[in-house]
Amino acid sequence: MAQRPGETLPRLPDDAFRRVLCVVAHPDDVEYGASAAVAVWTSRGVDVSYLLLTRGEAGMDGTEPEDAARLRHGEQLAAGREVGVTDIEILAHPDGMLVYSLDLRRDIARAIRRTRPDAVVVTAWDVEFVAGLNQADHRVAGLAALDAVRDAGNRWVFRELLDEGLEPWSPRWVLSSGDTRPTHGVDVTGEPVQAAVRSLEAHGAYLASIEGHPPARVLVEGVTGMQGRLLGTANGVVFRVWDLQARPPLGEGDEG
Ligand SMILES: [Zn+2]
């Protein structure tokens, strides 16, 4: 369903989910806007967990990878705290060289079975996303997470997860962040945006290492302001949303 000029996107229903898992490639990926939506959810009592696929060790040009990984781990935990998230798992797939693989899908499926979310937030996997050309790790992370949502519900794939005591779990919703064709949004005006600003500021050493990086406040207020226009609010976060329990639109006739 494409948005028509002048129309605003519908809001995600407040009661759509109770548990959310956000799957991203790197420390800081949640903090470029999406964490404002996370702040809204946690303030309503929704449990939100993060799964990071890499430690972000290749992200700081002047810092040795092991030092960068340690530093960014601490910054990510602080960033999560700003928006009410304490369950943060960081895997050690190689930063900058993330490979779409069955191993990666299994690791994501494991986190889905452990956290049992109703909704999984993933990053856009297209070559072009809302901010231009998409980064390789982000594309891989998004596609692998999408596929792992199905894997998590299938008892007969990754059977070692059963041996670990992890029963199948099927999330209902997939929310893609950064997709060029968003379908729904969350109003994050007010305190959620401020919490999101603080969550990006928590990546202080990392941001300081990137020459010319705009201040966190400018960036988060700018990104959520742009998305807010799609929603008809001052600040918003938009997603492309799929309901995996919806009946396939086959044989229902032409609504036109
Ligand atoms: Zn990233």
Side-chain angles (χ1 to χ4, degrees):
M1 171 174 38
Q3 189 182 13
R4 296 187 184 92
E7 269 186 4
T8 55
L9 294 174
R11 315 281 169 95
L12 268 172
D14 275 0
D15 55 354
F17 36 74
R18 303 292 311 154
R19 301 183 69 88
V20 175
L21 175 66
C22 302
V23 182
V24 296
H26 310 120
D28 88 354
D29 286 351
V30 185
E31 279 76 33
Y32 284 86
S35 65
V38 171
V40 169
W41 295 332
T42 57
S43 74
R44 287 190 200 134
V46 173
D47 283 321
V48 180
S49 304
Y50 294 167
L51 175 69
L52 279 64
L53 304 179
T54 81
R55 302 179 301 154
E57 72 273 13
M60 298 172 71
D61 189 54
T63 305
E64 284 295 320
E66 278 313 308
D67 296 336
R70 233 185 338 268
L71 197 146
R72 299 191 73 187
H73 187 117
E75 292 191 338
Q76 183 63 65
L77 298 188
R81 280 196 295 274
E82 294 293 348
V83 294
V85 177
T86 54
D87 181 18
I88 299 176
E89 184 181 6
I90 303 179
L91 303 179
H93 288 273
D95 180 22
M97 300 180 288
L98 194 60
V99 176
Y100 181 99
S101 66
L102 292 176
D103 279 349
L104 186 62
R105 277 168 51 182
R106 181 204 55 226
D107 287 351
I108 301 169
R110 176 185 288 117
I112 293 170
R113 289 193 186 184
R114 178 178 68 77
T115 58
R116 302 164 80 85
D118 316 298
V120 177
V121 174
V122 308
T123 52
W125 54 83
D126 291 329
V127 172
E128 287 189 66
F129 77 135
V130 73
L133 278 179
N134 205 351
Q135 196 258 1
D137 287 356
H138 297 166
R139 301 197 308 263
V140 168
L143 195 58
L146 174 69
D147 293 339
V149 167
R150 306 261 195 198
D151 298 334
N154 186 334
R155 177 174 303 279
W156 304 121
V157 298
F158 304 130
R159 290 161 69 170
E160 59 271 40
L161 298 180
L162 292 177
D163 299 335
E164 297 172 21
L166 295 168
E167 289 292 320
W169 180 261
S170 295
R172 175 168 180 179
W173 306 97
V174 171
L175 281 58
S176 173
S177 168
D179 195 288
T180 54
R181 299 155 300 160
T183 59
H184 292 76
V186 179
D187 182 357
V188 299
T189 307
E191 173 50 27
V193 172
Q194 299 313 314
V197 169
R198 293 193 299 274
S199 76
L200 184 56
E201 286 172 346
H203 295 278
Y206 170 70
L207 296 180
S209 77
I210 302 173
E211 215 184 305
H213 194 287
R217 174 170 302 281
V218 171
L219 216 148
V220 171
E221 289 182 351
V223 166
T224 58
M226 238 160 45
Q227 297 184 41
R229 282 201 282 283
L230 302 177
L231 268 184
T233 64
N235 297 90
V237 173
V238 298
F239 299 97
R240 185 166 182 85
V241 177
W242 288 269
D243 178 357
L244 301 182
Q245 289 177 10
R247 288 172 49 212
L250 301 172
E252 290 181 356
D254 182 7
E255 290 175 354

